[in-house]
Amino acid sequence: MLDLINVSMTFNPGTPNAKTALSDFSVHLDDGDFVTIIGSNGAGKSTMFNAIAGTFFVDSGSIKLGGQDITYLPEHKRSRIIGRMFQDPLKGTAPSMSIEENLALAYLRSGEGFSPFSHITNRDKQEFREKLSLLGMGLEDRMKQPVGLLSGGQRQALTLLMATMVTPKLLLLDEHTAALDPGTADKVIELTKKIVEENHITCMMITHNMKQALEIGNRTFLMSNGKVVYDVKGEERSKLTVNDLLEKFKVGTGQALDNDRMLLS
């Protein structure tokens, strides 16, 4: 489904600030995999997501999604087959536009060469209402309201709906609940699991919560210094504890995990 093959990326090459973020990096995801990803700051998690999403072109290696080579496909074209959410609730939506207008943009993101608003029918709007009602936040009765007036949790739930309105081949979740209060975060996580499962979406989710990383999805990556130092799934994963993950990190990197945010979670 997804293949990163010998991918390398160095920022500021040839300068004193040169930083190799990914080096000869390779991973494979099967169709329907839901991978949770944990690692300290600078481990390469977001860089990997940026490489997949096309935020930059990698220095070397190749990226294939669903059998298609997307290594040099522009970011805006990848967005038609890749959904993405960020930690910041302010990203992913247009705050001055209404909920309905944001959904219209997401609904027709796979089209080219026309204005999405001229193609939205009353039937489409009814479908928007029905999908919004599934979020359980009353947004279906506020479709004309600017998105900028929504709470952080409401915006993240809306962004999740937008990212999956047209079912993507791959969904990238970059700590998409980290900025929310615990109750709202739990609700967005449950929505995420429901939408991913019902639509059989291949998904990658970065999280700082190690317990969550073992409970959600079917596979976990532990990353450090631009590499996957531990990849686990199946029965082995089901038996792991947070302490086991800490030990795997120590074995894989030669040092103890010292990320307070992850340890406290």
Side-chain angles (χ1 to χ4, degrees), residues 13-81:
T15 73
N17 296 321
K19 167 67 175 177
T20 298
L22 297 172
S23 180
D24 203 28
F25 183 91
S26 297
V27 297
H28 168 78
L29 267 64
D30 291 322
D31 184 37
D33 266 349
F34 190 156
V35 183
T36 54
I37 304 163
I38 52 178
S40 300
N41 293 337
K45 306 182 298 296
S46 292
T47 300
M48 176 181 64
F49 273 18
N50 287 335
I52 295 169
T55 305
F56 50 72
F57 291 155
V58 297
D59 296 331
S60 60
S62 63
I63 302 171
K64 296 181 180 180
L65 180 60
Q68 177 186 3
D69 191 330
I70 63 171
T71 310
Y72 299 108
L73 191 70
E75 183 176 16
H76 71 277
K77 291 188 176 181
R78 295 192 207 191
S79 69
R80 297 175 189 141
I81 54 175

Side-chain angles (χ1 to χ4, degrees), residues 156-188:
Q156 285 298 69
L158 176 61
T159 303
L160 176 62
L161 183 58
M162 291 170 61
T164 56
M165 178 76 70
V166 178
T167 305
K169 290 184 178 180
L170 178 68
L171 179 62
L172 303 176
L173 306 173
D174 195 344
E175 295 200 75
H176 68 305
T177 62
L180 308 178
D181 66 83
T184 304
D186 287 344
K187 187 164 189 175
V188 173

Side-chain angles (χ1 to χ4, degrees), residues 198-232:
E198 288 181 353
N199 295 279
H200 192 68
I201 299 172
T202 304
C203 181
M204 303 178 79
M205 184 181 86
I206 296 173
T207 177
H208 66 274
N209 188 315
M210 289 187 285
K211 184 172 183 291
Q212 186 182 75
L214 292 174
E215 294 176 343
I216 298 174
N218 69 308
R219 188 174 174 188
T220 297
F221 288 169
L222 183 57
M223 290 186 64
S224 179
N225 295 320
K227 297 179 180 179
V228 174
V229 296
Y230 185 53
D231 174 5
V232 62

